[in-house]
Amino acid sequence: MLWPVETRSVSPVFVGRSDELETLNDALARAGAAEPQALLLGGEAGVGKTRLVEEFATAACRQGAVVAVGGCVEIGADGLPFAPFSTALRALRAALPGELAEAAAGQEDELARLLPELGEATSGRHDEQGMARLFELTARLLERVAAERTVVVALEDLHWADASTRHLLAYLLRTLRTGRLVVLATYRSDDIHRRHPLRPLLAELDRLRTVRRLELARFTREEVGRQIAGILATEPDPAQVDEIFERSDGNAFFVEELAVAATEGCCTGLTDSLRDLLLVRVEALPETAQRVARIVAEGGSTVEYRLLAAVAQLAEDDLIEALRAAVGANLLTATPAGDGYRFRHSLVREAVADDLLPGERSRLNRRYAEALESDPTLVAADAHVTRLASYWYQAHDPAKALPAVLDASVVARRRHAYSEQLRLLERAMELWDTAPEEVRAALRPVDFTDVYPPPPLPERRGGTPSGCDPATTPLSYLDLMAEAAVAGRFCGERERALKITKKALRLLQDEHDPQRAAWFWVQRSRLVQGLARGDGWQELGTAQDLVRGLPPSEVHADVLANVAAWSMLHEPGPEAYAAAERAVEYARMVGAREIELNARVTLGCLMVDAGDVDNGLAELERVKDAALREGVAQVAGRAYTNLPSELESVGRSREAVPIQREGIAFARRYGLLDSEAWIWGNLSESLYALGRWDEAAEAAAGALGSAASAKPRGAGALRLAHIALARGDTAEAARQLAIAHAHYGTHDPMPQVLLPVARIAVGVAAAEGRFLDARAELDRALAAGFPPGTHRYGWPLLLAAATAEADARALPAAADGRAEALDRLAETARKLATGTPLWQAYERWTRAELHRARGTDTAAVWSDVVTDFECLDRPYDLARVRRRLAEALLAGAGDDERDRATELLRLAGAVADHLGARPLAEAVALLAQRARLTLTARPSHRALDPAGNLGLTSRERDVLRLVSAGRTNRQIAEELFISPKTASVHVSNILGKLGVAGRGEAAAVAHRLGLFPAEALDPTR
């Protein structure tokens, strides 16, 4: 346990709060049962929040819990980034050094941004997921530390919290899943005005069912009487209780102050203001003690003793005597570590600080700043830069404040505290014009910026602009704007970032600097997309025009890479391919390795979509390996997303799954939340194809639960809609489709979103009997067109629409316009690419459904479709077309046809039952009932070939025989004179046709069906 728990109250008696304390103790008990708890404790200043936390913490320690308290730190008007979390983690490290070290193992360089004692924080490239990555690692760290024993993390004074602290707390409370952890946060409710930055967070947390919110009320008269009795150690006079209760209005802190004032002979009616009462207490101190109190009030929430001594400039004995007087009067209290002082209550500090004269305030801040400049060790190393910047800014000295604020912005960026970085950069822009020219000229981009390309040198006669050295070029106002724009994008303040970007582009209109302008247009494209105000192409097109014809540069390569990536998602085709190739070429020429790898991911995907499957997949594999080897996590996450997605696009689902599992583990380890969510969604698609629907639903839920942004959540919801539709839960499918629509929005239409959404919308409309709506959904999708490479999304949509038309063939309401709809489907199918066996099978299936819609389908038509799918790893699709073939066979009504139809329906029904595909199972049962077929056993009057009825080819029969004998792929290859890879493909096909997950299950099915006599399995034969 952590001991002692700091106490800042003069009352020895804890009064009231029984309900609140019971709630906190209940949370502690639930956490002890591995059910993490989150609580918010609000109340006006002085109402008793800290005292309640002290009581709860003491009780928790007695029960063996570890309590770590961290308070938000106010320095002037500024909060230190992540201060309460850093303090709490530091306390946990002191109490549980071994457990915390084990929990942080492998991620020390990232977690050092919050807890520098873990090591040196990495200085790698920053990105939009950097902050989310840090948050994820912090949440998992706390879960691991609290795995075996109960941990209470108490975060006080959220009303002073910096934006990064608020974001981290929100993330933590949203994602707590396991561990014996209690997170308790307090805030001053009377400070939360309509525009207070904490207000939106409280509203967000109120919507979480996992967060309990407590509001402390003022004391009743009875409770005030008990509190006064505790303070005075005697029963108070009822008249005095009435007077203090009326004067304090039940505020616990003011009750204490008034009771102490009465004891010391002060009249409670001396002043019209309770604030003045607090100042009377200060004014009763010796002059030196009053002076020290004023210094502490301006120094921040806590002031270190050595820093106080440097600022006060008193003889040590005089300083100690002054502090002794202030502590004795219960105005100041020593910190738990014994290295500094703070006011017993923030209300006292605020009263003293508000009483300072403007010139006095500036002078005190200057003395604090000068003391820190003279000796940086006066404060903790991780707080020095930020506090120095705040002191100089509050001292109103632009010459000193500008470089100090810029230094603090760099520290904030290193900690992924992008909200604070943005605030500090905006402060630097505010100071820019008032700072002396010689100060600005001494600043260098290399010291303060991380994202912006170096400016060009002035054009030389007969030459062209070229980049200049950022180590010797003065920092410019545009440099600050660039850094602020990116910080705003990273922390989610896109509106502020967009305003900065627009202003920068207006400034650049008067300068011939196309590379810088192009860079800002790329930022503007990203912000427009993030704000849901467009697809970002107009901005990217402007950037592309600006760099066209210029020599290769990092900016040029980045523009081309962004254009290629955008085109791959929106307008794939030859132009996107060419842009990706040029981006790779330019990035290599200028040594921009990360841009090169990113562009190669895009290029690999476009190669696969264009039909160069093997080379495209090989390129994606090479990029993944290179990114892992070189530690470029962002690119590795993108490769893990796209490589298995492209495998899925060509029907190689079984190969995709292990890569996706590996990618999820990688993304989780590095906190790549959106990459993890996209991979979960892709895994759900692959598992669905393989007939592992329960796992697919879990994967889709993983996409919804891990995503940091909207679109991957939309993908997860769409996967759930697909599964629900196939299982016959139309209402759930419609609900998830609406959720997907909401996440995707309408501002950024992409074929990979529009076509799958249209596919589910057609299916839902058809299932609800709204066939005209289904037709309208298809018409909208056809109007948008199927760009090259989108056939993987186009064929399922065409199939769904053709199936809906065929199912509605007998309905008079659907007759009007049917012929035209079928013609449009047939014409679109004629133009849509196939390229791989999977989509060739889908083409044949779609045409068979169109035949059925016209009443011209035959057993021969469906037999070809079944043959195609028997070679694929798609058990549900195979079951569906087997059902259609059985239906066509039964139309012939011969004995041979009836026997074959029976076996086909039996196999289709078994798959439907296994998957929970209720519509298919009901259709199979209804067809069998109408045809008077018994599906529970195979007909006994005719010797059927079980292997043939399972769809196994003769070669697959030979492979299954050897699998059943326990042979490996290499042994199978040697015996059958084929390659191990071919043997692996055969095994995968067999597993799909049998509807099993592994070789052992396949052998069991073969044994149960008696496919091979015992001697055939004898490896010695």
Side-chain angles (χ1 to χ4, degrees), residues 597 600-601 618-628 635 639:
L597 292 174
R600 286 172 60 190
V601 171
E619 176 70 347
L620 288 169
E621 185 73 44
R622 284 192 294 268
V623 174
K624 175 177 73 69
D625 292 343
L628 291 174
V635 177

Side-chain angles (χ1 to χ4, degrees), residues 889-914:
L889 287 169
L890 289 172
D895 287 343
D896 288 345
E897 287 81 2
R898 285 180 63 83
D899 288 345
R900 189 180 176 199
T902 300
E903 187 62 17
L904 287 167
L905 289 175
R906 184 183 66 79
L907 293 170
V911 170
D913 290 340
H914 173 71

Side-chain angles (χ1 to χ4, degrees), residues 281-454:
R281 297 269 317 276
V282 176
E283 289 163 0
L285 294 173
E287 179 58 38
T288 305
Q290 291 185 46
R291 177 184 169 197
V292 169
R294 288 193 290 271
I295 293 172
V296 174
E298 191 59 24
S301 301
T302 299
V303 177
E304 296 77 359
Y305 172 75
R306 292 178 59 230
L307 175 60
L308 178 59
V311 174
Q313 298 177 356
L314 293 171
E316 187 170 13
D317 288 345
D318 293 340
L319 176 60
I320 291 174
E321 283 303 313
L323 288 168
R324 186 179 300 280
V327 170
N330 268 314
L331 289 174
L332 296 183
T333 182
T335 59
D339 60 351
Y341 293 87
R342 60 184 302 163
F343 277 86
R344 183 174 66 82
H345 200 285
S346 57
L347 283 173
V348 184
R349 182 175 72 83
E350 291 165 12
V352 175
D354 288 346
D355 200 49
L356 292 173
L357 298 173
E360 186 179 14
R361 188 185 305 277
S362 299
R363 180 172 56 82
L364 284 176
N365 277 282
R366 173 177 291 279
R367 285 167 59 179
Y368 270 113
E370 289 171 345
L372 279 185
E373 273 195 346
S374 176
D375 185 359
T377 67
L378 293 176
V379 299
D382 59 339
H384 170 261
V385 173
T386 303
R387 290 178 65 173
L388 182 63
S390 180
Y391 291 143
W392 275 126
Y393 181 76
Q394 299 297 336
H396 304 296
D397 186 339
K400 288 286 192 176
L402 178 60
V405 165
L406 288 172
D407 283 336
S409 76
V410 173
V411 171
R413 182 183 68 222
R414 288 175 185 160
R415 302 188 74 180
H416 291 331
Y418 299 119
S419 297
E420 279 56 57
Q421 182 195 6
L422 174 60
R423 177 180 57 79
L424 289 162
L425 288 167
E426 288 176 330
R427 184 169 286 181
M429 289 188 280
E430 169 199 331
L431 294 166
W432 187 262
D433 288 335
T434 56
E437 173 61 32
E438 60 270 18
V439 171
R440 298 200 305 265
L443 302 174
R444 296 290 177 265
V446 70
D447 296 323
F448 303 114
T449 61
D450 187 53
V451 300
Y452 195 41

Side-chain angles (χ1 to χ4, degrees), residues 934-955:
T934 301
L935 303 182
T936 54
R938 295 192 305 273
S940 59
H941 68 278
R942 183 174 181 84
L944 296 176
D945 176 14
N949 286 314
L950 289 171
L952 299 178
T953 65
S954 60
R955 175 61 82 186

Side-chain angles (χ1 to χ4, degrees), residues 228-296:
I228 295 172
I231 294 171
L232 302 180
T234 185
E235 194 65 30
D237 177 41
Q240 184 185 36
V241 173
D242 289 339
E243 188 175 7
I244 291 179
F245 175 65
E246 182 180 355
R247 190 88 178 91
S248 68
D249 205 13
N251 181 288
F253 175 69
F254 286 130
V255 170
E256 289 183 355
E257 291 298 312
L258 290 165
V260 170
T263 303
E264 294 174 352
C266 297
C267 175
T268 58
L270 268 178
T271 172
D272 293 330
S273 166
L274 285 169
R275 174 179 164 277
D276 290 344
L277 174 66
L278 301 181
L279 291 177
V280 166
R281 297 269 317 276
V282 176
E283 289 163 0
L285 294 173
E287 179 58 38
T288 305
Q290 291 185 46
R291 177 184 169 197
V292 169
R294 288 193 290 271
I295 293 172
V296 174

